[in-house]
Amino acid sequence: TPDITDGNASDLLVVSGNGGAPVLVSAIGTTNDSSVGSDFAWSPDSSQIAFTLLTGGTTDMSRETYLVDRDGANPIKINGTLGSSARIGVISPRWSVDGTYIFQVVEEVATGVAEGINIFDTTLGAQNSARLIETIFGLRGLKTAPTDSRICYNFGNFGGIRQIRISDAASGVFPNNLLVGGDNATFPNERQCEWFDDGSRVAFVRQNSNGTENILIRDSEASTPEQTIVTTDTDVAIEEYAVRPNSQDELIYSERAISAGAPTELFFAGLNVAPFELGENLPNPSGTQVFGGWSPDGSDFAYFGNLTTQRTLDIYVEQPGVSAPVQVTDFDGDEQARIDAKPVWSNDETRLAYWAAVPSTIMLGRFTDSNLQGANTDGSGVVILTPGALQLNAGDFAFQPMPQ
């Protein structure tokens, strides 16, 4: 998570979920104009971290990807050759499940338009990175398969058409599969692919011409017809979703009506389960519910929202369709607003880490007393993980649990 020190600088830190001194990982030429942000990823064996370093501020932006040991030692740059333009950068490093490949999205830095995929083979050394997809406009949402070296992603063109594609790094064939179909096949707008656990199925979102949206699943080899899990009402947008671990067709998604001021709501659904809303028995069930994540075994889902009568955002854990939500955080202060947000699970499923902050009364979008905290899933055992007030805004930080 970045520790905002001064100017626009941010760093990458590693800290124990039970507290202790953070370890600085990203001290690679960082200055007041350099930033790591949320663009980082653990290796599957947790020994290394890949991250994107943005330097030059807003006047001379450059994005490069580094690989570093978890203690900050042995940093190497893994961009490879990105072409003649100094404005080309790499973002969003993602590991293959066996740790062999690191995929990076290549983009034109000034415009933020993604143009291809860079691949780094960790077995060959720092000079063996190669751009395997040379030009593919608007690439977003790259996700690595849970079983092999395949990736899924969505891409688009100047006409606004977006499609889902699957490619395989091991075969070197790019692209090798296009997932399209349905009533909107002539003008598809598809996004947000997600793999199911065994790698045999992919879920994705489709926006239809009549104003509805679907979440669909399909065989990852496109050999079977797609199946619809969710169809929204007209002018209702699907914002996020996460497939359930150890499941082949169940997921939780968030949706919001396009009309101004509409709250975000969370729903559970599956091929054989009609959608139902989470948090229905809470004091303010019509309040906003914001996405969190599944526990590693898929039994519980953590999320946050303003679901009480207080002016706070609290964290909840719920077993969809099994038990009522448990309120994990409950700020008992005065009428001052409080935010507990962005929960992530420990690998043993006994604890959550989350962001805790009080909005500033002076600067809109800034926070005071902002830090990372850890707690048991019943709200006990609270530990402050980052010392001091980091003064973060919502877009300045992200954190991920170390792989098991």
Side-chain angles (χ1 to χ4, degrees):
T1 177
D3 174 4
I4 302 303
T5 52
D6 59 334
N8 295 316
S10 68
D11 297 315
L12 187 66
L13 306 173
V14 173
V15 64
S16 167
N18 294 314
V23 175
L24 178 64
V25 173
S26 62
I28 303 174
T30 53
T31 67
N32 286 355
D33 288 327
S34 64
S35 174
V36 176
S38 59
D39 237 356
F40 62 92
W42 285 97
S43 65
D45 66 358
S46 75
S47 65
Q48 295 178 298
I49 303 172
F51 66 92
T52 299
L53 186 66
L54 171 64
T55 60
T58 58
T59 58
D60 189 23
M61 289 184 294
S62 174
R63 287 190 176 101
E64 298 178 314
T65 302
Y66 285 84
L67 180 62
V68 66
D69 293 346
R70 58 183 287 182
D71 61 359
N74 303 314
I76 59 173
K77 193 189 310 185
I78 60 172
N79 294 349
T81 302
L82 298 177
S84 59
S85 173
R87 308 292 283 176
I88 294 292
V90 287
I91 59 172
S92 304
R94 300 290 183 266
W95 293 78
S96 63
V97 67
D98 64 356
T100 299
Y101 301 111
I102 302 173
F103 302 95
Q104 306 152 68
V105 175
V106 180
E107 72 166 16
E108 211 287 328
V109 176
T111 63
V113 175
E115 297 183 347
I117 295 175
N118 201 44
I119 184 171
F120 174 72
D121 188 331
T122 62
T123 68
L124 298 178
Q127 302 305 314
N128 289 280
S129 191
R131 241 179 117 181
L132 293 188
I133 298 182
E134 188 66 25
T135 55
I136 184 167
F137 180 81
L139 186 146
R140 285 290 181 268
L142 187 152
K143 302 293 177 64
T144 54
T147 53
D148 50 40
S149 60
R150 291 173 299 163
I151 55 175
C152 71
Y153 50 92
N154 62 275
F155 68 100
N157 60 25
F158 287 103
I161 299 174
R162 305 198 65 82
Q163 298 171 305
I164 302 294
R165 186 170 275 173
I166 292 176
S167 298
D168 189 347
S171 69
V173 178
F174 286 87
N176 71 345
N177 198 358
L178 187 65
L179 300 184
V180 294
D183 68 341
N184 206 31
T186 57
F187 193 80
N189 195 338
E190 297 164 340
R191 65 184 192 274
Q192 293 169 263
C193 64
E194 295 284 351
W195 296 90
F196 283 91
D197 277 353
D198 66 358
S200 66
R201 281 179 156 182
V202 173
F204 57 97
V205 177
R206 174 178 294 149
Q207 182 183 43
N208 300 305
S209 55
N210 62 3
T212 65
E213 294 196 340
N214 303 122
I215 300 179
L216 306 108
I217 59 175
R218 189 166 188 173
D219 186 281
S220 58
E221 298 302 325
S223 60
T224 58
E226 62 193 24
Q227 296 173 285
T228 301
I229 297 180
V230 174
T231 300
T232 68
D233 294 332
T234 302
D235 295 328
V236 173
I238 293 169
E239 296 194 327
E240 297 181 83
Y241 74 98
V243 300
R244 187 176 197 171
N246 301 312
S247 166
Q248 283 296 294
D249 60 37
E250 294 179 335
L251 49 82
I252 281 178
Y253 66 97
S254 61
E255 69 172 36
R256 183 178 61 83
I258 297 175
S259 58
T264 300
E265 299 173 297
L266 296 176
F267 293 85
F268 178 86
L271 286 179
N272 299 307
V273 181
F276 62 84
E277 189 172 1
L278 275 62
E280 279 291 88
N281 64 337
L282 291 168
N284 182 27
S286 61
T288 289
Q289 302 158 299
V290 186
F291 217 73
W294 284 104
S295 61
D297 69 354
S299 62
D300 297 84
F301 191 80
Y303 58 97
F304 63 101
N306 59 337
L307 303 175
T308 68
T309 56
Q310 301 179 23
R311 295 191 304 128
T312 62
L313 291 177
D314 292 307
I315 293 172
Y316 300 85
V317 170
E318 186 169 346
Q319 285 188 294
V322 176
S323 61
V326 174
Q327 187 170 344
V328 178
T329 63
D330 185 9
F331 184 60
D332 293 326
D334 54 23
E335 292 304 310
Q336 185 181 36
R338 162 72 181 256
I339 292 174
D340 292 317
K342 299 189 177 183
V344 297
W345 291 85
S346 64
N347 287 311
D348 63 5
E349 302 169 352
T350 62
R351 291 180 65 78
L352 294 167
Y354 56 91
W355 178 47
V358 175
S360 171
T361 58
I362 300 174
M363 296 180 63
L364 183 65
R366 300 294 295 184
F367 300 88
T368 61
D369 301 324
S370 173
N371 52 50
L372 301 185
Q373 298 185 6
N376 297 326
T377 55
D378 63 359
S380 64
V382 176
V383 176
I384 295 177
L385 305 179
T386 51
L390 302 185
Q391 308 297 321
L392 301 176
N393 69 42
D396 276 339
F397 104 107
F399 58 101
Q400 301 172 11
M402 182 179 72
Q404 198 164 16

